[in-house]
Amino acid sequence: MTTSIAASTDQRERFYRLVPELLAEDDRLALVLAEIGVGYVDPFLTDDVRARVVNVGIREQLSISLAGGMALAGMRPIVHTFPPFLVERPFEQVKLDLGHQGVGAVLVSAGGSYGMASGGQTHFGHRDVAVLDTLDGWTIDVPGTADEAEDALRRAVRSDDRVYLRLDSTSNRRRYSDGPGFTVLRRGSSGTVVAVGPMADNTLDAVELRDVTVLYADTVRPFDAATLVSTLTHPDVAIVEPYLAGTSVPYVSDALSHVPHRVLGLGVGREELRRYGSPKNHERAHGLDVDGLRNSLNEFFGSTPRFGG
């Protein structure tokens, strides 16, 4: 890893700096862009890799179809744009040109659910994981830091799987993941909270006084049911996700089907917010800031704090 790459703590910037290095290391790799990101990645490209960087313009369906053709020819394509242009708009191509043909690609989004708040509804990406959940065979990574994002991308390009890497515009204060599967951040006796990707810091602050186990997930598919079950105490589980609320609730319920349980899914609400505002405004409006999470978790688990004060 070069110093310039390691110094970047922004997930998207780390991606733009890292991709040219990966292309130089493996001539099987190709980068497919749909206009988004062209100006950011270009300064880091060298002449020996430019031929494997293709900008199809604002033709997102074509970007996925091209990736499917590349994969059929033995290449490993990386496709990059914002979530709604990567998953929603070309969904038929994702379903057919990748899934139906049985080939893999690495889809890398940027901006998360409302990182491009000024773009409005066309740029809001909170439905992406729920949409991909209608298909089988996808690995979905939701890193909380640039280091976790880099690890996920390096894993993805070494495989032939279908991988969705969801880069967010915000990151946690530090790295929490210690490897594949869920990471145990805290152990408690009155329930479990699963914090996904960049939701970890706000979640930890919200449950600071609660006697709950906190699990951290930077990979949500496949869902790590084994760790959830093995660390379970009281069978009340809340999952805090940075995309559509309740997306992973069925996975939690399946994991706990052997025991009576309650599940709370927190995330971005379904109600359309028609004021663009800022990412912080949207976080607050959806109850994903510290105060909002604390209130929701107090209501779910009960208002008794861990230390009685």
Side-chain angles (χ1 to χ4, degrees), residues 21-32:
E21 177 184 302
L22 297 176
L23 290 171
E25 292 174 353
D26 186 352
D27 59 11
R28 189 178 69 127
L29 299 180
L31 176 64
V32 181

Side-chain angles (χ1 to χ4, degrees), residues 23-239:
L23 290 171
E25 292 174 353
D26 186 352
D27 59 11
R28 189 178 69 127
L29 299 180
L31 176 64
V32 181
L33 302 172
E35 204 62 50
I36 302 299
V38 173
Y40 291 97
V41 75
D42 187 71
F44 305 108
L45 297 176
T46 55
D47 290 342
D48 59 326
V49 302
R50 284 186 186 277
R52 285 180 283 122
V53 178
V54 182
N55 176 22
V56 301
I58 51 174
R59 301 176 180 87
E60 289 83 3
Q61 291 95 332
L62 175 59
S63 71
I64 300 298
S65 293
L66 177 60
M70 287 178 166
L72 284 171
M75 301 184 71
R76 182 61 167 161
I78 304 167
V79 189
H80 170 67
T81 185
F82 296 134
F85 309 148
L86 189 61
V87 175
E88 294 178 59
R89 183 174 295 173
F91 178 71
E92 184 176 10
Q93 285 71 35
V94 172
K95 178 180 69 175
L96 298 178
D97 295 343
L98 297 177
H100 182 64
Q101 294 191 129
V103 295
V106 185
L107 308 188
V108 182
S109 69
S113 293
Y114 37 70
M116 284 288 292
S118 61
Q121 186 64 220
T122 58
H123 285 65
F124 290 168
H126 55 288
R127 303 174 182 88
D128 52 353
V129 177
V131 169
L132 282 178
D133 268 349
T134 66
L135 305 175
D136 66 340
W138 281 88
T139 295
I140 301 178
D141 293 307
V142 188
T145 66
D147 286 343
E148 292 171 359
E150 177 172 342
D151 286 353
L153 182 58
R154 289 184 181 276
R155 287 196 305 269
V157 299
R158 290 194 297 264
S159 77
D160 291 309
D161 299 335
R162 291 186 288 279
V163 179
Y164 179 51
L165 174 54
R166 189 181 202 270
L167 305 183
D168 209 286
S169 59
T170 61
S171 294
N172 296 317
R173 292 183 291 262
R174 68 175 182 84
R175 177 182 186 135
Y176 291 110
S177 175
D178 62 7
F182 293 174
T183 300
V184 181
L185 302 185
R186 263 181 42 184
R187 293 183 182 271
S189 61
S190 63
T192 299
V193 181
V194 181
V196 176
M199 290 288 92
D201 281 348
N202 283 2
T203 301
L204 286 169
D205 291 344
V207 301
E208 182 180 9
L209 298 178
R210 301 207 65 87
D211 181 22
V212 292
T213 294
V214 179
L215 304 179
Y216 176 65
D218 63 335
T219 297
V220 291
R221 305 290 182 271
F223 187 84
D224 186 7
T227 298
L228 177 63
V229 171
S230 68
T231 59
L232 190 69
T233 53
H234 196 76
D236 289 344
V237 177
I239 183 162

Side-chain angles (χ1 to χ4, degrees), residues 190 193 203 205-212 236 238 262 264 266 290-306:
S190 63
V193 181
T203 301
D205 291 344
V207 301
E208 182 180 9
L209 298 178
R210 301 207 65 87
D211 181 22
V212 292
D236 289 344
R262 296 191 307 144
L264 173 67
L266 299 176
V290 175
D291 288 340
L293 290 175
R294 183 183 294 119
N295 291 338
S296 295
L297 294 171
N298 282 349
E299 183 176 350
F300 180 67
F301 288 111
S303 59
T304 304
R306 182 181 184 185

